[in-house]
Every structure is written in C-alpha cells, then in structure tokens.
Amino acid sequence: MFQKVLIANRGEIAVRVVRALREMGIGSVAVYSEADRRSLHVLQADEAVCIGPAPARDSYLSVPRLLEAARSTGAQAIHPGYGFLSENSDFAAAVRDAGLSFIGPPPEAMNALGNKLLARAAAHKAGVPVVPGLDHPVRGLDEARAAAKEIGFPVLIKASHGGGGKGMRVVRSEDELGSLLELTQGEARASFSNDEVYLERYLERPRHVEIQLLADSHGHAVYLGERDCSAQRRHQKLIEETPAPGLRDEVRRAMGECACRLALAAGYVNAGTAEFMVDAKQDFYFLEVNARLQVEHPVTEMVTGFDLVKLQLLVASGGELPFVQADIQPRGHAIECRITAEDPERDFMPSIGKIHRFRLPSGPGLRNDAGIYPGAEITPYYDSLVAKLISWGRDRNEARRRMLRALDEYVIEGVKTSIPFHRWALQHPAFVAGAIDTGFVGAEYHPRHIAPSPEDEALAVRAAALHALLHPSGASAARVEGPPSGSPWKFAGRPGAAGARR
Ligand code: MV4
C-alpha cells in the first residue's frame, strides 16, 4: 500500500480523500491555488503545496505543477477526485510515466469508455442494451434521413465528443432533420473541435439510474447497487438516492451485471459508474461510464457500509477485492442533497462571499461532507458545490423526513444556497411518491415556490408597521415580550400549523 498520496483536487472531495487516507495511516498531500490558501482541504491534509494562481488551468489543471508537487513531497500516487483532470487519459498516462500510481483506471480503459461512440460499440459487444441508433458518425443528409426513418421519430442528434448534455438536438419530423443536423454539427465543431454526430431514438423524460461498480486488476468486478439521479436541472444533479424508487429487482440485477461485463471487457480497474436511462416500462439503456469516484458516492456508502475511497486505494495498489457480489447486501435508503452556493430564487446564479454563520445538522442517520467552515470564502473560480448532506433511513420515507429535519437544522449565512430548493423538492408529491424522471425539475420548479408569497410579504409589512406603532421608542422585536405561548412566528411552518409544510 502507498505511504503518501497527493490529492489533485480541492473542496469537499479533497477533504473526503484525506479522511480515508488518515484512517488507513497513509500520508496526505493537498495542493491548492492562491485562492484556496485558507481552504478546508489545506487545513486538513498532512502537507500542502501551492501550485499556482486561482484560474484552474494554471493550478488544478496544470499537469506539470501537479507532478512536481508529487515529486517534491515524495507522494507515490495521485488521487484525482472528480472533475478537473479525473477523466483525462493524458493525465493518467503522465502520472504513470512519472513512475507514480494513478487512483483511477488505466488510460486505455478510460479512452475505450470515454468516447460516446466507442462506449456504444463496447456495450453492444458486451451484450449491454443501448438506445437504438447509428454506431458510426453520420456521413451525410441522405444517410441521416434513412437512419432516422429506420429508428423512428423523434430522434436525437448527439455529438460524438459532446458531454454534459451539450451537443444534443431532438428532431421531431423529417423536414427538420437537415437544418438541425447542420446546426448540431456547427455547434459541435465550435464546442468540441470535432463535428462528428450520430443519431439515436429519443426517449422522452427517462429516469437517470446509474450503477456503482468496482473492479480490481485480478479480473473481478462487482456492483454496489444503483443510484437514481433524476432530480437534476440542466444536467446538474441536485438530489441522488439509493435504491432507485420502485426499480424491480430483476432490472437492478440485470443492470448491475451489464455494468460488470462492460468493466471487465474494457480492462477497467477502479470504482466507476455505468450510467443508464430507464423508461416507464423499466427497459434500460446504457449511456456511458464515468471513470471516477462520483459526487454522489456517499449514498452508496451509507447503504452498503463500504468505503469507496479505501477500495479505490486498494485496487489501485494492485490489491484484490476483499468480497464477492453475494457479500454486498444494501440496507435501508439514503438520499443526498447537494448544497451549492447558488441562488435558487435567481436561476441558480452562483453566490459568492464569506461564510459567517455555519452550523451543520447532526443526530441519527446523517452524514455531512463539507468543504467549508465558518469564515471560509466562497470565490467565483470553482464549482459552486460547497457541501453534501446525506440522510439514511430504514426506508425511503424515513430518509426523506430525516433530510427535511436536517435541512431545517442547517445554518449557513453569507451566501445563498440551494437549501430552499431542496425543501421544496423533498415535499413535492411526485418526489414523495418516488415518481420523478429527468423532466421533473424543469417542468415543476419555479422560483415562486420558494420565494415568500406576496401574501406573506404583505403580512410582514403590516406586522412591522404595527410593531413600530406599539413601540415608538424603537425597541427591537427580539426584546418584546411575546404572549405566554411564544410568538406565533415561531410555530409558522411547523407540522400542524396553518400553512405548514409536510
Ligand atoms: C438521451 C436522452 C433521451 N434519448 N438520449 C443527457 C446527457 C447525456 N449524457 C445523455 N443525455 C440524454 N440522452 C436519448 N437517446 C435524454 C438525455 C437526458 C438525460 C440523461 C441522463 C440524465 C439526465 C438527462 C436530462 C436530460 C436529457
């Protein structure tokens, strides 16, 4: 096993990796940009190296600076976290060429699964269902027309090199095909420097269900259940849970077995995620493999009891998986809410500033993975994810109500956060019923759901005016004696109160 590992990342995920290393008795090296001098991951790691100025391309994305930091500190391996260089096969190769271990898959496996068309072909070969469509780039309008007719409308034009929902266009009829093909190719050329596109049948509002897999270098692969990530907005996940509500056991098992076959066929070694779309009949279709630890990995850890970061370190150092599929027996239900520094009332606009009050919820069945602390600065340079709140329950409803309770306890002041959105989502009838798909947030969420209603605003103004009349000296409301039962405001929003949630 390694004695010292460098973490090529920042924020909550860097803190998460430090924790696993500390428990394993392995030294940790944090790297940081000038904007992150006082960040939590720097304070938590055994050592820390400044690798450059705030812009990520000059720090967290600089391969030479990361390798130099590993060399100068004597780290033997690099954990890339998620985002940044985590799925960059050139980085994985450079780490290997520098004589270090990469806590991730071999670059060859990353390449085989990283390109959408290559991944489709690999899936096809491994007997994994993919959405009906072309297995090669479109070579002209005539071919596209013939393929679209065969597939059946609506079809989806996808850029081979696209990602994160960019470079996709729905075509509803043949007469739109020519113009949308040109448009998508032009956008693909501009965004990905490559205009290759292909066609697939378009699934309306699928669920997003992904399989957590784990593969070692001895030919073993297992799956650790699935996660439903349908609660997302513009391809940014907001809430994830496991197990996927209502997913039939035989579907879950079939998806898991597909993910393992694919991993073994590609020579994959690491934790990884096979993404699928699931339709209303629970037919499932493979999308792609994320060759990294994911943001939402904690929900899987909560129900399986395994530490995925420790297992990543084990398989990356050549170790054999210490259990088989039958040993994986998930228990209960877990939900994760991503706490981002964004304003859900203003189109999730990033919010920056200093965190002045910060208190995390605690008590039974909760986990907090936070990258911030009181006094920390949220800068505009990086991702807006600042913390993750995970709840566990014996069943889904316990996990859901526990999450609502925890969101009520959460205190974070200084920046706007996604917490009001989560309160809304977790009480929505469709979420309560476990009946959401990837269209849920786009179709159902509107800022007015969390902004105070005009009635409440007007009532607040009248209350303030009354207070000013009764206390002309300017005594603050906080010092005014309330009725014996306490202020009615104290109970507004509690179960049983008029207009209460739940
Ligand atoms: C699709 C689809 C419907 N039909 N492909 C979006 C991101 C990319 N990785 C794949 N995506 C989709 N591909 C076909 N043939 C709908 C989506 C999609 C989606 C997929 C997974 C999770 C969230 C999504 C949100 C909107 C659209």
Side-chain angles (χ1 to χ4, degrees), residues 111-129:
N111 278 329
L113 297 169
N115 175 290
K116 282 186 169 37
L117 271 172
L118 285 177
R120 248 180 93 84
H124 220 76
K125 226 176 110 184
V128 175

Side-chain angles (χ1 to χ4, degrees), residues 158-417:
K158 274 191 183 177
S160 315
H161 298 260
K166 284 199 207 133
M168 304 199 320
R169 271 265 159 25
V170 183
V171 187
R172 303 230 167 239
S173 67
E174 191 179 338
D175 46 294
E176 299 177 332
L177 188 60
S179 57
L180 290 178
L181 193 62
E182 270 182 43
L183 194 67
T184 314
Q185 282 173 324
E187 284 176 0
R189 200 177 307 122
S191 303
F192 318 117
S193 317
N194 181 307
D195 66 0
E196 264 181 34
V197 300
Y198 65 102
L199 299 182
E200 280 181 8
R201 186 166 84 216
Y202 178 63
L203 307 181
E204 306 270 4
R205 295 183 59 149
R207 287 168 75 180
H208 172 124
V209 180
E210 56 186 32
I211 298 287
Q212 177 67 56
L213 64 91
L214 191 60
D216 67 16
S217 55
H218 303 267
H220 309 300
V222 295
Y223 60 94
L224 286 79
E226 80 285 4
R227 295 181 288 258
D228 188 320
C229 310
S230 298
Q232 51 81 48
R233 177 184 173 274
R234 299 189 189 161
H235 306 288
Q236 294 295 317
K237 293 170 189 166
L238 294 162
I239 304 172
E240 305 95 346
E241 61 180 305
T242 187
L247 194 71
R248 294 194 303 272
D249 266 340
E250 81 264 18
V251 178
R252 169 177 297 121
R253 194 173 332 113
M255 290 174 74
E257 286 166 5
C258 281
C260 290
R261 281 206 302 282
L262 202 53
L264 291 174
Y268 193 87
V269 177
N270 186 26
T273 299
E275 287 190 357
F276 295 88
M277 294 185 291
V278 178
D279 68 14
K281 292 185 314 197
Q282 299 199 6
D283 284 340
F284 62 89
Y285 305 96
F286 169 74
L287 272 176
E288 57 194 90
V289 171
N290 299 132
R292 59 167 194 277
L293 186 72
Q294 289 198 266
V295 176
E296 58 271 28
H297 76 277
V299 292
T300 300
E301 296 186 323
M302 291 287 263
V303 300
T304 62
F306 291 113
D307 184 318
L308 285 167
V309 178
K310 289 182 187 166
L311 290 165
Q312 280 190 297
L313 289 156
L314 175 73
V315 299
S317 64
E320 206 168 337
L321 285 178
F323 49 79
V324 296
Q325 191 63 51
D327 298 326
I328 300 162
Q329 297 289 347
R331 182 167 158 267
H333 198 99
I335 304 177
E336 172 178 278
C337 288
R338 296 190 183 195
I339 313 297
T340 60
E342 292 175 335
D343 185 354
E345 280 186 57
R346 303 209 159 50
D347 208 30
F348 287 81
M349 197 175 30
S351 177
I352 57 171
K354 197 188 186 92
I355 306 288
H356 44 92
R357 283 217 311 146
F358 185 56
R359 199 176 66 228
L360 290 171
S362 59
L366 292 181
R367 166 171 169 178
N368 281 289
D369 279 26
I372 53 169
Y373 58 89
E377 289 276 351
I378 309 298
T379 65
Y381 298 107
Y382 314 109
D383 190 275
S384 59
L385 183 77
V386 293
K388 303 183 303 205
L389 173 60
I390 304 102
S391 70
W392 180 89
R394 291 178 58 86
D395 58 27
R396 184 172 188 268
N397 209 38
E398 187 178 42
R400 188 186 66 83
R401 298 197 53 153
R402 187 166 271 163
M403 180 64 86
L404 281 165
R405 184 270 290 175
L407 290 166
D408 277 355
E409 282 181 32
Y410 218 110
V411 178
I412 178 162
E413 284 175 12
V415 294
K416 297 280 188 181
T417 75

